[in-house]
Amino acid sequence: MAAGTELTPTSYIQHHLTFLAKPVGEGDFWTLHVDTFVTTLILGVVCFGFLWLVTRKASAGVPSKTQAFVELCVEFVNNQVKGIYHGSSALVAPIALTTFVLVVFMNAMDFLPVDIVAKALGAAGVHEYRLVPTADVNTTFALALSVFALMIFYSIKVKGLGGWLHELVSAPFGLKPLWMSPLLVLFNLMFQVVEYVSKPLSHSLRLYGNMYAGEIIFLLLGLWASTGVVGALFGGVLNLGWAIFHILIVLLQAYIFMMLTIVYLAMAEEHH
């Protein structure tokens, strides 16, 4: 925080929940969250650079521990894809793996001590910076909308534009009897709109809500630890307990996001 500013619980939480924002146009919509963008870019380079190095050094003989771990992760994701997706695209498994790895790394930023990082960044002149990209709804919506665009693409690719448009007006209630077809088209279209809108909404908000809540809990426990010796003791114990439990949340939310990605892409190629 800026020097000379009185630190209160409200200002402490607001400070750690404030983005490093840069306007790139008029209005709030045209605002770039620089911290989210930079952190995601760094994590992408680190995690996928690591995977690239492992694959370059991979051998057909006895694998190293690192290679064995990466192979285990790849096989795990590939098995999930084979169990759900039965289409012809060979890109679904790489998309699922990319999604899972990136979301895990972005979620895991929640484990970094925010106060220590804030002091280090403050010494460099950066006083507002949020560490967890997935606690930014823009990130989760961008990921979900990317999956949504792929879903539309694969649906049109498999069914053709005409087949996809026909499905919009004919599923799930059909078009018969013909004398009711205008009303059925209306209900079918309304049903499809709700389904298409709900997919990216639920896909993005589930991840965002869980990671935002986790971030808030860490901050609240940190506030408790600042109340005195007893608060520091209990706050430290609870912070450690929450961090251990949060490992499950970080992995589980990445897994759910990946599985929904696979399910949505598989559903896109189904004929109704």
Side-chain angles (χ1 to χ4, degrees), residues 41-169:
L41 182 63
I42 293 173
L43 290 175
V45 171
V46 170
C47 65
F48 295 116
F50 168 73
L51 293 177
W52 177 74
L53 287 174
V54 172
T55 55
R56 280 200 51 158
K57 297 179 179 179
S59 62
V62 178
S64 64
K65 292 181 180 180
T66 304
Q67 181 183 335
F69 174 74
V70 171
E71 289 178 353
L72 183 64
C73 293
V74 172
E75 184 179 359
F76 168 75
V77 173
N78 198 40
N79 288 337
Q80 302 303 311
V81 173
K82 287 180 180 179
I84 298 173
Y85 178 78
H86 306 292
S88 58
S89 176
L91 294 177
V92 174
I95 290 171
L97 178 64
T98 301
T99 301
F100 178 71
V101 172
L102 185 58
V103 173
V104 165
F105 272 75
M106 289 193 291
N107 290 353
M109 294 298 290
D110 215 1
F111 294 119
L112 295 180
V114 291
D115 290 313
I116 295 176
V117 175
K119 286 185 178 180
L121 291 172
V126 179
H127 299 289
E128 296 172 344
Y129 199 97
R130 288 187 67 175
L131 289 169
V132 189
T134 43
D136 182 355
V137 71
N138 296 287
T139 303
T140 58
F141 259 109
L143 292 171
L145 289 175
S146 298
V147 174
F148 182 77
L150 286 171
M151 184 181 71
I152 300 296
F153 170 77
Y154 278 114
S155 188
I156 295 175
K157 180 182 178 182
V158 172
K159 304 168 187 175
L161 181 59
W164 178 65
L165 292 174
H166 179 266
E167 188 177 87
L168 286 180
V169 298

Side-chain angles (χ1 to χ4, degrees), residues 174-187:
L175 296 174
K176 295 181 180 180
L178 291 178
W179 62 273
M180 284 191 64
S181 58
L183 188 60
L184 289 172
V185 166
L186 178 61
F187 280 113

Side-chain angles (χ1 to χ4, degrees), residues 8-10 12-13 218-228:
T8 65
T10 300
Y12 172 81
I13 292 176
F218 274 122
L219 291 175
L220 291 175
L221 292 175
L223 277 175
W224 194 11
S226 67
T227 59

